[in-house]
Amino acid sequence: MLPLKPYLLRAFHEWIVDNGWTPLVLVEATRPGVEVPASHVKDGRIVLNVSPRAVRHLSIGGDGIECDARFGGVPWRLRVPLGAIAAIYAEETGQAFPFVLDEESDLPASLENPPVDERRAPQGVPEAAASEPPEPSEPPEPPRPAGRPALRVIRNKD
């Protein structure tokens, strides 16, 4: 199966750019295979501006992100493996899409630990307890139309 992460990265990158914002990628620079200027790494991380005006030849693929950029006027070929990408976000709004920093998992952080449905028994619960049906709840009342109801007849002129 193809990894999900590059598709999500491309989609969020496109969405951020289409809104006129600046896409930034948070990278764990100490991960194996990361090729970024060490002088710009702080606390083991680097934030890369991957907007069309900041980089050239941007490629977001199954191996990670590659592009050409300049740091202090010095050209660099940046390479960031998928496992080193912690998040992509819009600089102007802070809207972010975080990822799990595990090379084995390509799920976004928001999907890695999904919310627990309390009606389902957690793993390790005896089967008898797990088979109890959830308490019934009353169905919601359908919305009522505003104003007086009316029917309109439409005739076909055949």
Side-chain angles (χ1 to χ4, degrees), residues 1 7 15-16 21 35-36 41 44 46 54 57 59 61 70 91 94-95 103 107-108 110 116 129 143-144 152 156 158:
M1 180 164 62
Y7 293 94
W15 176 75
I16 292 168
W21 301 327
E35 296 178 24
V36 296
V41 174
I46 187 169
H57 309 288
S59 169
R70 290 185 169 272
E91 180 179 36
Q95 289 182 298
E103 296 212 20
L107 289 176
S110 59
V116 177
R144 296 180 185 243
R152 192 169 111 192
N156 193 357
D158 283 349

Short mmCIF file of all heavy atoms in Angstrom, two decimals, residues 1 7 15-16 21 35-36 41 44 46 54 57 59 61 70 91 94-95 103 107-108 110 116 129 143-144 152 156 158:
data_model
loop_
_atom_site.label_atom_id
_atom_site.label_comp_id
_atom_site.label_asym_id
_atom_site.label_seq_id
_atom_site.Cartn_x
_atom_site.Cartn_y
_atom_site.Cartn_z
N MET A 1 0.85 -1.18 0.00
CA MET A 1 0.00 0.00 0.00
C MET A 1 0.90 1.25 0.00
O MET A 1 1.91 1.30 0.67
CB MET A 1 -0.90 -0.02 1.24
CG MET A 1 -1.81 1.16 1.30
SD MET A 1 -3.21 1.09 2.43
CE MET A 1 -2.44 0.92 4.01
N TYR A 7 0.49 12.31 0.21
CA TYR A 7 -0.77 12.82 -0.33
C TYR A 7 -1.33 13.92 0.57
O TYR A 7 -1.82 14.94 0.10
CB TYR A 7 -1.79 11.69 -0.49
CG TYR A 7 -1.40 10.69 -1.53
CD1 TYR A 7 -0.71 9.54 -1.18
CD2 TYR A 7 -1.70 10.89 -2.88
CE1 TYR A 7 -0.32 8.61 -2.15
CE2 TYR A 7 -1.33 9.97 -3.84
CZ TYR A 7 -0.64 8.83 -3.47
OH TYR A 7 -0.26 7.94 -4.42
N TRP A 15 -3.68 23.58 -0.42
CA TRP A 15 -4.74 24.33 0.25
C TRP A 15 -4.18 25.63 0.84
O TRP A 15 -4.78 26.70 0.71
CB TRP A 15 -5.38 23.47 1.34
CG TRP A 15 -6.40 24.17 2.15
CD1 TRP A 15 -7.67 24.50 1.78
CD2 TRP A 15 -6.25 24.65 3.50
NE1 TRP A 15 -8.32 25.15 2.82
CE2 TRP A 15 -7.47 25.24 3.88
CE3 TRP A 15 -5.21 24.60 4.41
CZ2 TRP A 15 -7.66 25.80 5.13
CZ3 TRP A 15 -5.41 25.16 5.67
CH2 TRP A 15 -6.62 25.75 6.01
N ILE A 16 -3.02 25.55 1.47
CA ILE A 16 -2.39 26.73 2.08
C ILE A 16 -2.03 27.75 0.99
O ILE A 16 -2.33 28.94 1.11
CB ILE A 16 -1.16 26.32 2.92
CG1 ILE A 16 -1.62 25.53 4.16
CG2 ILE A 16 -0.35 27.54 3.32
CD1 ILE A 16 -0.49 24.83 4.90
N TRP A 21 -1.61 31.90 1.61
CA TRP A 21 -0.80 31.85 2.82
C TRP A 21 0.56 31.24 2.53
O TRP A 21 0.83 30.78 1.42
CB TRP A 21 -1.51 31.06 3.92
CG TRP A 21 -2.85 31.61 4.30
CD1 TRP A 21 -3.24 32.92 4.33
CD2 TRP A 21 -4.00 30.85 4.69
NE1 TRP A 21 -4.55 33.03 4.72
CE2 TRP A 21 -5.05 31.78 4.96
CE3 TRP A 21 -4.26 29.50 4.87
CZ2 TRP A 21 -6.30 31.38 5.39
CZ3 TRP A 21 -5.51 29.11 5.29
CH2 TRP A 21 -6.52 30.04 5.54
N GLU A 35 18.68 16.46 5.12
CA GLU A 35 19.76 17.30 4.58
C GLU A 35 19.27 18.74 4.52
O GLU A 35 18.56 19.14 3.60
CB GLU A 35 20.16 16.81 3.19
CG GLU A 35 20.76 15.43 3.19
CD GLU A 35 21.10 14.93 1.80
OE1 GLU A 35 21.32 15.77 0.89
OE2 GLU A 35 21.14 13.70 1.62
N VAL A 36 19.60 19.49 5.58
CA VAL A 36 19.26 20.91 5.71
C VAL A 36 20.49 21.61 6.27
O VAL A 36 21.37 20.96 6.85
CB VAL A 36 18.03 21.13 6.63
CG1 VAL A 36 16.79 20.50 6.04
CG2 VAL A 36 18.29 20.59 8.02
N VAL A 41 19.39 25.05 12.21
CA VAL A 41 18.68 24.11 13.08
C VAL A 41 18.75 24.63 14.51
O VAL A 41 19.81 24.99 14.99
CB VAL A 41 19.30 22.69 12.98
CG1 VAL A 41 18.67 21.75 13.99
CG2 VAL A 41 19.17 22.16 11.56
N GLY A 44 17.24 20.98 17.51
CA GLY A 44 17.01 19.78 16.73
C GLY A 44 15.91 19.90 15.69
O GLY A 44 15.55 18.91 15.05
N ILE A 46 13.94 22.42 12.46
CA ILE A 46 14.04 23.50 11.50
C ILE A 46 12.67 23.68 10.87
O ILE A 46 11.94 22.70 10.66
CB ILE A 46 15.12 23.24 10.43
CG1 ILE A 46 15.32 24.49 9.55
CG2 ILE A 46 14.80 22.02 9.61
CD1 ILE A 46 16.56 24.41 8.65
N ALA A 54 9.56 30.74 -2.35
CA ALA A 54 10.74 30.50 -1.50
C ALA A 54 11.59 29.33 -1.97
O ALA A 54 12.79 29.30 -1.69
CB ALA A 54 10.29 30.26 -0.07
N HIS A 57 11.66 23.69 -7.65
CA HIS A 57 11.68 22.25 -7.91
C HIS A 57 11.19 21.44 -6.70
O HIS A 57 11.77 20.42 -6.35
CB HIS A 57 13.09 21.78 -8.31
CG HIS A 57 13.69 22.60 -9.40
ND1 HIS A 57 13.27 22.54 -10.70
CD2 HIS A 57 14.68 23.54 -9.37
CE1 HIS A 57 13.97 23.38 -11.44
NE2 HIS A 57 14.83 24.02 -10.64
N SER A 59 9.32 18.86 -4.66
CA SER A 59 8.78 17.52 -4.91
C SER A 59 8.36 16.94 -3.56
O SER A 59 9.17 16.83 -2.64
CB SER A 59 9.85 16.64 -5.55
OG SER A 59 9.43 15.30 -5.56
N GLY A 61 6.96 13.55 -2.41
CA GLY A 61 6.72 12.21 -2.90
C GLY A 61 6.80 11.16 -1.82
O GLY A 61 6.85 11.48 -0.62
N ARG A 70 17.44 28.74 -0.74
CA ARG A 70 18.60 29.55 -0.39
C ARG A 70 18.52 29.90 1.09
O ARG A 70 17.46 30.24 1.60
CB ARG A 70 18.65 30.82 -1.21
CG ARG A 70 18.96 30.58 -2.66
CD ARG A 70 19.13 31.91 -3.40
NE ARG A 70 19.67 31.67 -4.71
CZ ARG A 70 20.97 31.62 -5.00
NH1 ARG A 70 21.85 31.80 -4.05
NH2 ARG A 70 21.39 31.39 -6.23
N GLU A 91 1.69 29.85 7.95
CA GLU A 91 2.36 30.84 8.80
C GLU A 91 1.40 31.90 9.30
O GLU A 91 1.42 32.28 10.48
CB GLU A 91 3.49 31.50 8.02
CG GLU A 91 4.25 32.55 8.81
CD GLU A 91 5.37 33.18 8.01
OE1 GLU A 91 5.20 33.36 6.78
OE2 GLU A 91 6.40 33.49 8.61
N GLY A 94 -1.56 29.82 11.50
CA GLY A 94 -1.16 28.82 12.48
C GLY A 94 -1.92 27.51 12.33
O GLY A 94 -1.69 26.58 13.09
N GLN A 95 -2.82 27.44 11.34
CA GLN A 95 -3.56 26.19 11.13
C GLN A 95 -2.57 25.12 10.72
O GLN A 95 -1.88 25.26 9.71
CB GLN A 95 -4.65 26.36 10.09
CG GLN A 95 -5.79 27.22 10.58
CD GLN A 95 -6.87 27.34 9.55
OE1 GLN A 95 -6.64 27.86 8.47
NE2 GLN A 95 -8.06 26.86 9.88
N GLU A 103 8.69 6.42 11.63
CA GLU A 103 8.86 6.05 10.23
C GLU A 103 7.95 4.90 9.84
O GLU A 103 7.66 4.70 8.68
CB GLU A 103 10.32 5.69 9.97
CG GLU A 103 11.21 6.90 10.18
CD GLU A 103 12.40 6.90 9.30
OE1 GLU A 103 12.40 6.21 8.27
OE2 GLU A 103 13.34 7.61 9.63
N LEU A 107 0.37 7.90 9.49
CA LEU A 107 -0.89 8.53 9.86
C LEU A 107 -0.64 9.90 10.46
O LEU A 107 0.35 10.12 11.13
CB LEU A 107 -1.62 7.68 10.91
CG LEU A 107 -2.21 6.38 10.44
CD1 LEU A 107 -2.80 5.63 11.62
CD2 LEU A 107 -3.28 6.61 9.40
N PRO A 108 -1.54 10.83 10.22
CA PRO A 108 -1.43 12.10 10.91
C PRO A 108 -1.66 11.90 12.40
O PRO A 108 -2.33 10.95 12.81
CB PRO A 108 -2.54 12.95 10.29
CG PRO A 108 -3.45 11.99 9.62
CD PRO A 108 -2.66 10.76 9.31
N SER A 110 -3.52 13.32 14.40
CA SER A 110 -4.93 13.38 14.77
C SER A 110 -5.63 12.04 14.54
O SER A 110 -6.66 11.78 15.12
CB SER A 110 -5.64 14.47 13.99
OG SER A 110 -5.53 14.23 12.60
N VAL A 116 -11.92 7.53 21.67
CA VAL A 116 -12.51 6.25 22.03
C VAL A 116 -14.03 6.38 22.03
O VAL A 116 -14.58 7.31 22.62
CB VAL A 116 -12.02 5.80 23.43
CG1 VAL A 116 -12.69 4.51 23.84
CG2 VAL A 116 -10.52 5.67 23.43
N ALA A 129 -18.75 -8.64 28.87
CA ALA A 129 -18.94 -7.22 29.10
C ALA A 129 -18.97 -6.46 27.78
O ALA A 129 -19.65 -5.46 27.65
CB ALA A 129 -17.84 -6.67 30.00
N PRO A 143 -36.35 18.56 12.16
CA PRO A 143 -36.54 20.02 12.19
C PRO A 143 -37.90 20.41 11.62
O PRO A 143 -38.42 19.76 10.71
CB PRO A 143 -35.41 20.54 11.30
CG PRO A 143 -35.04 19.39 10.44
CD PRO A 143 -35.34 18.16 11.24
N ARG A 144 -38.48 21.42 12.20
CA ARG A 144 -39.79 21.89 11.74
C ARG A 144 -39.58 23.05 10.78
O ARG A 144 -38.77 23.92 11.03
CB ARG A 144 -40.63 22.33 12.93
CG ARG A 144 -40.95 21.17 13.85
CD ARG A 144 -41.78 21.65 15.02
NE ARG A 144 -41.97 20.55 15.94
CZ ARG A 144 -43.15 20.04 16.23
NH1 ARG A 144 -44.23 20.56 15.70
NH2 ARG A 144 -43.25 19.04 17.07
N ARG A 152 -47.03 23.13 -3.71
CA ARG A 152 -47.12 23.79 -5.00
C ARG A 152 -47.20 22.72 -6.07
O ARG A 152 -46.36 21.83 -6.13
CB ARG A 152 -45.90 24.66 -5.21
CG ARG A 152 -46.04 25.58 -6.37
CD ARG A 152 -44.92 26.58 -6.38
NE ARG A 152 -44.08 26.27 -7.54
CZ ARG A 152 -42.91 26.76 -7.75
NH1 ARG A 152 -42.37 27.56 -6.88
NH2 ARG A 152 -42.25 26.45 -8.83
N ASN A 156 -46.89 19.22 -15.83
CA ASN A 156 -46.08 18.91 -16.98
C ASN A 156 -46.88 19.23 -18.23
O ASN A 156 -48.01 18.77 -18.39
CB ASN A 156 -45.67 17.43 -16.94
CG ASN A 156 -44.59 17.12 -17.93
OD1 ASN A 156 -44.17 17.98 -18.69
ND2 ASN A 156 -44.14 15.89 -17.89
N ASP A 158 -47.20 18.18 -21.32
CA ASP A 158 -47.04 17.17 -22.37
C ASP A 158 -48.30 16.92 -23.09
O ASP A 158 -49.38 16.93 -22.75
CB ASP A 158 -46.55 15.84 -21.78
CG ASP A 158 -45.08 15.91 -21.48
OD1 ASP A 158 -44.41 16.87 -21.91
OD2 ASP A 158 -44.58 14.99 -20.82
#
